[in-house]
Amino acid sequence: MHSSRPIPISFRLAMAGLSALLMLGCIGAMHLVAAAGLTDPVPVYWWTLACGAGITTVFVLIRSGASRRFADPSLTLFQIVYAIACNAAAYVIAGPARGIAPPILAVIMMFGVFGLTPRQMVGVALYGLVAFGAAGAVVQWWHPAWLSPDSQPPALSAAYLVMIAVVLASSTFLTTRVHSARARLRSQKRELAAAVEQIRELATRDELTGLPNRRCMLEMMRLEHARAQRSRQPLLLAQLDLDHFKAVNDTHGHAAGDVALQSFAQTVHGCVRASDLLARWGGEEFLLLMANTHPADGTRLLERVRATPVALPGGTQLSLTVSVGLAELAPGESTAALLQRADAALYGAKRLGRNRVLLAH
């Protein structure tokens, strides 16, 4: 199994180094066997050269970056297959000490538990059975001159092969369980991320109109206020309030009122620029934050909003008017003071007869 995130070459080299250390430990064990006179040292020397060649090849491919062209840049499968072949060869030449092979095989398979897929591990297990089956046949029935003869009972050979089969089967089973647990964790992580995103949306979005809510708008006002103070660019805040909206609810019902609010939000959103932020402030009130906008431009935009009729689903036009209070951020002014001036301008527009845009001074 390969992660979508690229594995750093330093990590690949570290894992290859760990594999090399383990292989060197096995080589040391074999030379101790040879030094004790339990087997002919000549096959052990040739076996050592073969093991060293494999280690060197893996290190060079990873260090040079050539392994990145392969499906498995860490060469995990190659290292395991090669190590099993070396382990099976050690089983043949170790003489009476060949009982060290099953523990070494267990260590080799441990690398596959976290680096291979279950299908690959099944293939490796079958390969291991074939390799050690052939090694067992060599030990029992073929005695070339370079192989130290020994009188290993067939029952002992069978016991070794049973233990090898147990190691291979248990490693494959463990890989399947680990793979299943990882899949579960990934699924739970996706579900958690979706839940967090949903909670974030609920916390920052108005459920009825889909616009940013009061909490989100306050945060955006804080950010835009800081940016405007640093850049000395103009910042406008408009407070929009639907005139006589209670009459819509009383006459047509609250369901129609909800539809009217949704339609008004869509109408305003279609009039403003992508850089402007429209939010539902509460009830039939909305806030519009316009960065880097001069009052004359903001007033023209809001007049266009005011003049655009609200279209309900089905093409019905609703006679809704809107009063707007507009305020420009003054040097050193806080967001609370800016909001208060926009609110005062809104009430001034209502006192002047509603359905108008009033700029605060």
Side-chain angles (χ1 to χ4, degrees), residues 263-264 266-268 271 303-312 315-321:
S263 300
F264 177 74
Q266 293 171 3
T267 299
V268 178
C271 294
E303 287 290 354
R304 186 166 66 249
V305 169
R306 189 181 62 81
T308 303
V310 177
L312 298 180
T316 304
Q317 300 293 325
L318 187 64
S319 298
L320 283 176
T321 61

Side-chain angles (χ1 to χ4, degrees), residues 159-171:
Y160 283 150
L161 291 178
V162 168
M163 289 306 301
I164 288 168
V166 168
V167 168
L168 294 172
S170 59
S171 300

Side-chain angles (χ1 to χ4, degrees), residues 5-91:
R5 179 181 299 177
I7 299 175
I9 189 171
S10 58
F11 179 80
R12 297 190 193 120
L13 285 174
M15 293 304 295
L18 179 59
S19 301
L21 286 175
L22 293 173
M23 183 66 80
L24 289 175
C26 297
I27 291 173
M30 287 295 293
H31 279 272
L32 286 175
V33 169
L38 297 175
T39 189
D40 187 348
V42 175
V44 174
Y45 294 149
W46 285 107
W47 176 83
T48 300
L49 287 176
C51 293
I55 295 171
T56 304
T57 300
V58 169
F59 182 83
V60 169
L61 288 174
I62 294 177
R63 184 67 183 85
S64 66
S67 66
R68 285 181 292 190
R69 295 176 295 177
F70 305 141
D72 177 17
S74 300
L75 302 177
T76 305
L77 182 59
F78 170 79
Q79 292 185 69
I80 291 174
V81 168
Y82 193 82
I84 290 176
C86 291
N87 190 219
Y91 179 85

Side-chain angles (χ1 to χ4, degrees), residues 100-188:
I100 63 176
I104 294 174
L105 178 63
V107 174
I108 294 170
M109 296 298 288
M110 179 182 66
F111 280 83
V113 169
F114 299 100
L116 301 182
T117 66
R119 178 176 294 184
Q120 288 174 324
M121 279 296 284
V122 169
V124 167
L126 293 175
Y127 163 78
L129 285 174
V130 171
F132 276 93
V138 169
V139 169
Q140 289 300 124
W141 296 298
W142 187 44
H143 299 286
W146 52 266
L147 179 62
S148 298
D150 62 83
S151 56
Q152 178 170 289
L156 183 57
S157 296
Y160 283 150
L161 291 178
V162 168
M163 289 306 301
I164 288 168
V166 168
V167 168
L168 294 172
S170 59
S171 300
T172 304
F173 174 76
L174 182 58
T175 300
T176 303
R177 299 295 296 172
V178 170
H179 189 272
S180 176
R182 283 181 173 178
R184 259 194 326 273
L185 287 174
R186 285 196 301 270
S187 176
Q188 291 171 355

Side-chain angles (χ1 to χ4, degrees), residues 223-358:
L223 294 175
E224 289 298 335
H225 174 272
R227 186 178 293 116
Q229 295 283 26
R230 288 195 305 270
S231 64
R232 300 185 181 277
Q233 295 292 334
L235 178 66
L236 299 182
L237 179 66
Q239 189 165 353
L240 301 83
D241 184 85
L242 291 171
D243 298 326
H244 305 295
F245 188 73
K246 185 175 182 299
V248 176
N249 286 329
D250 294 342
T251 304
H252 303 285
H254 288 280
D258 289 346
V259 174
L261 288 172
Q262 292 170 338
S263 300
F264 177 74
Q266 293 171 3
T267 299
V268 178
H269 202 272
C271 294
V272 300
R273 304 162 302 182
S275 58
D276 300 329
L277 180 66
L278 177 67
R280 187 181 181 193
W281 194 241
E284 64 271 18
E285 289 189 2
F286 297 81
L287 282 189
L288 179 62
L289 190 63
M290 294 172 282
N292 195 19
T293 305
H294 293 282
D297 297 327
T299 300
R300 280 194 295 269
L301 185 149
L302 290 167
E303 287 290 354
R304 186 166 66 249
V305 169
R306 189 181 62 81
T308 303
V310 177
L312 298 180
T316 304
Q317 300 293 325
L318 187 64
S319 298
L320 283 176
T321 61
V322 60
S323 299
V324 183
L326 179 64
E328 181 184 12
L329 179 68
E333 186 178 29
S334 65
T335 54
L338 175 65
L339 180 60
Q340 186 176 6
R341 288 199 299 119
D343 185 66
L346 170 64
Y347 279 96
K350 287 180 177 293
R351 284 195 302 270
L352 292 173
R354 305 179 190 273
N355 192 23
R356 67 188 64 233
V357 178
L358 183 63

